[in-house]
Amino acid sequence: MEQIDNKKENNKENSVNSVFWLGALHALPLCLAVVPWGILAGSMAVDAGLTFAQSVGMSAIIFAGAAQLVTLGLITSGAGILTIIISVFFITAQHLLYGLTLRPHVAHLKWYQRISIGFLLTDELFAVSMQQKTKLTPAYMIGVGLCFYIVWVGVSIIGIFMASQVSNLASYHLDFSIVATLLAIVIPLIKTFSTLIGVIVSFSLSILFSWLNIEGGVVIGGLAGMFIAVCVARVRGE
């Protein structure tokens, strides 16, 4: 009987390990796409006057690409702490929706497991997890998130070193990887007409408001797109 129990325990452990590595494997395409983005974040941290430890700590602790880039831009422009906090709050507000969506899959876990997944929760983790929604497990989410975390911190460190070795790194337009990564995340999630309309409205308004130099135009465009998407979904009964 003891041998049977040990065998079951080993099989369970092997299954968890397999799911973990499967999650890491599924994260790799987005990890590769985000490499230029991480290098840009690392180099911008140095340009903003942060020390090596502060630059690494920003990627390792904050672990939010868009929030990091916006924060660094605001620091460089001399913005106050309140402006930075408000800007980052709105930029990362979608994580509240991510958490609520994933809640049924993590509510039964122990507190430290929920905190671990919450820390690793990014746009990329959410997008990959939604592709496995019917068989989503904690091991899979941690595999995705941890793989992405290691790559992000690693390439940020590369960017920190490159900032002192490569002159005018910003001229290489590494920020294009931000657009490419977000497109790779958003497009697979467009499965309904309402979502498509929301994306189109958000994209169009964001470009328009940016062209008009409206402060916070991207955030306003995103919120407007979500509102329109909800309205269309209710009208169509989706």
Side-chain angles (χ1 to χ4, degrees):
M1 181 64 70
E2 184 177 349
Q3 291 180 342
I4 295 176
D5 291 339
N6 289 336
K7 186 176 181 180
K8 288 182 178 180
E9 190 67 28
N10 290 334
N11 290 337
K12 183 178 180 180
E13 183 176 346
N14 291 335
S15 177
V16 170
N17 289 335
S18 298
V19 172
F20 172 86
W21 289 111
L22 179 63
L25 179 64
H26 287 173
L28 283 179
L30 288 176
C31 288
L32 296 176
V34 87
V35 166
W37 191 350
I39 293 176
L40 180 63
S43 64
M44 283 184 64
V46 175
D47 293 339
L50 272 63
T51 65
F52 176 81
Q54 290 171 334
S55 301
V56 174
M58 191 173 197
S59 289
I61 298 173
I62 297 179
F63 185 42
Q68 286 180 228
L69 295 180
V70 169
T71 300
L72 292 170
L74 291 172
I75 291 174
T76 303
S77 65
I81 184 65
L82 183 60
T83 300
I84 294 175
I85 291 174
I86 293 174
S87 299
V88 171
F89 173 80
F90 281 107
I91 289 171
T92 58
Q94 78 274 16
H95 287 78
L96 176 61
L97 299 178
Y98 294 165
L100 291 173
T101 303
L102 293 176
R103 186 177 183 277
H105 302 281
V106 301
H108 63 285
L109 302 177
K110 296 180 180 179
W111 66 268
Y112 58 85
Q113 293 175 311
R114 297 197 302 272
I115 290 178
S116 299
I117 294 173
F119 174 75
L120 295 172
L121 183 56
T122 58
D123 298 334
E124 291 77 11
L125 170 56
F126 180 76
V128 175
S129 296
M130 287 300 94
Q131 303 301 315
Q132 304 289 327
K133 196 169 183 179
T134 57
K135 47 183 178 180
L136 191 58
T137 64
Y140 181 87
M141 287 186 281
I142 292 177
V144 174
L146 191 58
C147 177
F148 192 79
Y149 178 78
I150 292 172
V151 171
W152 177 257
V153 175
V155 296
S156 295
I157 293 174
I158 293 174
I160 294 169
F161 283 113
M162 289 181 65
S164 59
Q165 301 296 325
V166 181
S167 59
N168 199 16
L169 191 60
S171 64
Y172 290 90
H173 300 293
L174 298 178
D175 51 347
F176 176 76
S177 66
I178 300 175
V179 179
T181 303
L182 293 178
L183 285 175
I185 292 172
V186 171
I187 291 177
L189 297 178
I190 302 176
K191 297 180 179 180
T192 63
F193 180 76
S194 59
T195 303
L196 176 61
I197 294 300
V199 170
I200 293 174
V201 170
S202 298
F203 180 73
S204 301
L205 291 180
S206 296
I207 293 178
L208 176 61
F209 292 154
S210 297
W211 180 68
L212 294 174
N213 293 321
I214 297 177
E215 188 173 354
V218 174
V219 175
I220 297 172
L223 293 175
M226 287 189 287
F227 176 75
I228 295 297
V230 170
C231 292
V232 172
R234 289 188 175 182
V235 170
R236 292 174 56 88
E238 293 181 356

